[in-house]
Amino acid sequence: MEHVPPPAEELARLDRELAELDARRAQLLTRRAWLLAALRPPVPTAAPGWNPSAWGAPAAGRPGTPAQPWGWVPPKQASAPRSAQNVLLTLGGLLLTVAAVAFTLVSWGSMGIGGRSAVLAAVTVGALAAPAVLSRRGLTATAEALAALALVLTLLDAYAVHAVAVPDTDGLGFTAVAAAVLAALWTAYGLALGKLHLPLPAAVVLAQWPLLFGAWAAGAPALVVGWALLATAVLDGAIALWGKGTGARVTACVGGSVMAFSALMVGLTLSVTASGPLGALAPGALLLTAAAAALAGAWRAPRGFARAGGVVAGLATVAAVGGVPATAVPEDWGVLAYLAAGLALTAVVRTRLPRNAAIGVLVASAVVVAGALAGALPGLAAVLLGPVTLLSDVWAGSPGGFRSALDPTLPWTGLAAAPVVLAVSAGLLGAAYRWWPSLARIAAPLIAREEPGSGGGPAGAPGAGTPEAGGAVAPGASGAPHGTGAPWYAGGRAATPWYAGGRSAARRRPSGAALRGAAGAGAAVLGWGALLLAGAVLDVPYAVAVAGETVLVAGLLALAVRGTGSGREGSAAVPVTALVAAPAGAVSAGLLSLASEGASYAVFGALAALFAGAAVRAEAGVPRAVFAVAATVGCTVLTGFAGRSLGLAPHEAAPLMLLVPALTVLFGARLRRNPAALPVELTGALGALVAVALAVPDAPFLALVLALCGVLAAGAAVRPERRPVAAYLAAALFVLATWVRLAASEVSFPEAYTLPVTVPALVAGFLRRRKDPEASSWTAYGPGLAATLLPSLAVAWTDPDWQRPLLLGVSALVITLLGARYRLQALLLLGGAVLALDGLHELAPYVVQVAGALPRWLPPALAGLLLLVVGATYEQRLRDARRLKDALGRMR
């Protein structure tokens, strides 16, 4: 019968066995670490000629090789650095090149024809043959150096042949022939020696010059030079696409870019300067050929190069097609021809061009349109900002025309086509906004088109998984991206989910709704600008211009109000744009109306009414606040106009300016916590600041305005949500008004007027503190103390007698001691500050005398010593400051 121990005994036995196993495992791990250290060979530190085989060590992986621990990496053998080899080869090649040049230039003339030929042939053939031998033996770096020498020698041979054999030949023509021959030679040489990296790029560089130099040597016109540049660029493009070697392809890409740009510049210059349509046909043919070549390269190029090729092709096409009619119309209207050609490029969406190339063409179309719009910006800026000059002479009289109120130096006749450009662009964007679903269906083939080599067949062929290709479509998608009933370009947002390909399409491209909203916003802004600029170009009468700008502001407000709260996706772009443009247009219209008194009242009154009505109709909080603020500004300006019409001086009109702030206080009390209440009240406060600024030159009126502002602040303090700020502001304004009034009345004893206010205020504060011990001392005693201490301090600084400073200092000392005794922050700080300033006033003459008697070096030295002491005891001073701050914070 088998004995089964109790569970407790069995558990104790298992714990003992596990402990023994852990101890044994630790011993084995320690021994293993020691063995690994013993088996690891030391890092060799002998001379570079050290060879492990000399020690009789077996090769790695053979029998007898000791097992290496896991993760152990054998030390690398020392080898000569490649940098030293490159330096030596470079120096050797340079020395040989210098010797060859010296020989050609110095010793060439001392040899006969036979000697010259023999030396040239021997050295050149040797330099060309040596790299082949060296590259077969693996000495690639040496072969590259000798190949560079051979390249220089072939150039020197060409120079020597021209200098001796055919010295009378034209230099440019000979250079063209020599470049062609050398390019062919080095191309064959590089293809024969495929391991060398230099010959093929050198051949590409040499191939850039034969056609260009040949055209120059023949005295060809600029158009022929352009064709030569274009042919060279086409050759470079072919090499970049099908050439052998990365170096040759990169060199061809760079050279082709330079040559193509030069050819395009030649064609564009000839097209722009052509005398007529017939003269623009030949440069147009050059530009169209360049566009075709760019598209042909973009068909097979990678993504970035394909898009760049599409951009170049689009711009070249616009320059070619638009240049012909542009020469037949006046210079100012030529931009319309280019604009029409640029807009015609959008038809690329219906072609079978690869997607990236088509996108590049569309980018070129956008660039052309943006350039045409940029030409209209100076005139539009002059219309908007030109009336600023009327601020210097308000109500000087109505000008005869619109331009008279703007910048007269601007060439308005040269901007005749600018309104048309803006109007055409606005119309097209508006049409896109209105018929966006149809536009999305037209562009659908471009969106769904796949690039060559993407796994979806040839360019433009439907890819797998699309209805056109007969592939399977996700259920419920109908060919659209996952999770939406319409593709992104038709207004949908979601696309391929993360589990079907990574990021969502919303992160890869803008949504269709956003694009549609951008089109609508652009149409609104451009249409507004077209109408403004048309009035200036046509120089409409002043009254028509003022009325027209006001009507445009009304239209923008209607557009902004209509779009707020609509809740449609993507519809926010249009109302937000109108919300920004409406105040800008209102500012321009208001400035324009300053030339006439009647126009000023009419425009600002209409603007105030329009913005007020828009604020009432708006549903969203931000537009309502913006409209309400604009209406408040308009009313404030109208009150200023009223003062000017009544013939009041600026300080006399200041109380009248407080009418709008008073209305804003009442308006805020009515709205309470409406989002528009606070912005309107802050705008009214800014109007009150304007009134204070107007009253500054006259002290009695300033005191009156300050007192009225205090009344308005006290009225706002009645509301609990405004009380924390408005109450203190009202007290400060009342006190400041009192001081200004006393100063205006030239009162020499302000205490006679301030003490009757201070005593009741302190009594009221004392009673408040008895009723509420937690009340702040600033609320209870601050206004009463400031009402007397601060005016007395101001008078004491100009008082030559000693009685007032003494009495003020004693009073401030008593107040400071009381504040310290009863832990009242207001008494301590106010009393201490007044005491310090009063003492400084009394000691100032003596301080000046002592400072004049001291050496000039002593004050800087004392200041530096003080800084050293403070820096040395910085931590202690910081702790003291924190303790002082905490002590003040604990006071009431």
Side-chain angles (χ1 to χ4, degrees), residues 2-329:
E2 184 178 358
H3 173 69
V4 178
E9 183 180 351
E10 185 178 2
L11 180 61
R13 183 185 302 172
L14 291 176
D15 291 339
R16 287 193 300 269
E17 292 178 358
L18 289 173
E20 292 174 358
L21 289 175
D22 290 339
R24 179 60 178 166
R25 185 174 185 276
Q27 293 175 359
L28 293 176
L29 289 175
T30 303
R31 181 62 179 173
R32 181 177 182 276
W34 183 86
L35 291 174
L36 290 176
L39 290 175
R40 184 178 294 114
V43 179
T45 58
W50 178 83
N51 187 359
S53 61
W55 295 82
R62 296 180 180 179
T65 303
Q68 302 297 344
W70 181 82
W72 178 77
V73 179
K76 295 182 179 180
Q77 297 183 6
S79 61
R82 299 282 296 183
S83 58
Q85 180 185 12
N86 293 334
V87 170
L88 294 176
L89 292 174
T90 303
L91 290 177
L94 288 176
L95 290 176
L96 290 175
T97 303
V98 171
V101 173
F103 166 76
T104 304
L105 298 178
V106 177
S107 301
W108 182 262
S110 62
M111 302 180 64
I113 294 297
R116 298 172 186 175
S117 303
V119 170
L120 280 174
V123 174
T124 304
V125 171
L128 290 173
V133 178
L134 293 174
S135 61
R136 283 197 298 269
R137 296 188 178 184
L139 302 177
T140 307
T142 308
E144 292 284 357
L146 289 179
L149 175 63
L151 174 62
V152 176
L153 286 175
T154 54
L155 296 177
L156 293 176
D157 290 342
Y159 167 77
V161 169
H162 179 266
V164 175
V166 285
D168 298 331
T169 306
D170 179 63
L172 286 176
F174 181 84
T175 303
V177 175
V181 172
L182 290 177
L185 171 64
W186 279 98
T187 300
Y189 188 74
L191 293 176
L193 300 179
K195 294 183 179 181
L196 298 183
H197 301 288
L198 179 63
L200 289 179
V204 173
V205 173
L206 291 170
Q208 307 302 308
W209 310 114
L211 294 178
L212 179 61
F213 286 165
W216 280 352
L223 184 62
V224 176
V225 174
W227 282 105
L229 291 170
L230 180 59
T232 306
V234 171
L235 176 62
D236 289 331
I239 295 174
L241 289 175
W242 297 291
K244 181 181 179 181
T246 304
R249 299 177 70 177
V250 171
T251 306
C253 185
V254 175
S257 300
V258 175
M259 293 297 174
F261 178 78
S262 303
L264 290 174
M265 289 298 101
V266 171
L268 179 61
T269 303
L270 294 176
S271 177
V272 172
T273 58
S275 58
L278 294 178
L281 289 177
L286 173 63
L287 293 171
L288 287 177
T289 305
L295 284 182
W299 200 279
R300 297 182 57 86
R303 175 179 178 179
F305 291 98
R307 292 189 177 183
V311 172
V312 172
L315 294 177
T317 303
V318 170
V321 176
V324 176
T327 57
V329 297

Side-chain angles (χ1 to χ4, degrees), residues 465-468 472-490 492-497:
T466 61
E468 293 82 353
V473 182
S478 301
H482 179 81
T484 176
W488 67 270
Y489 48 81
R493 289 177 298 174
T496 306

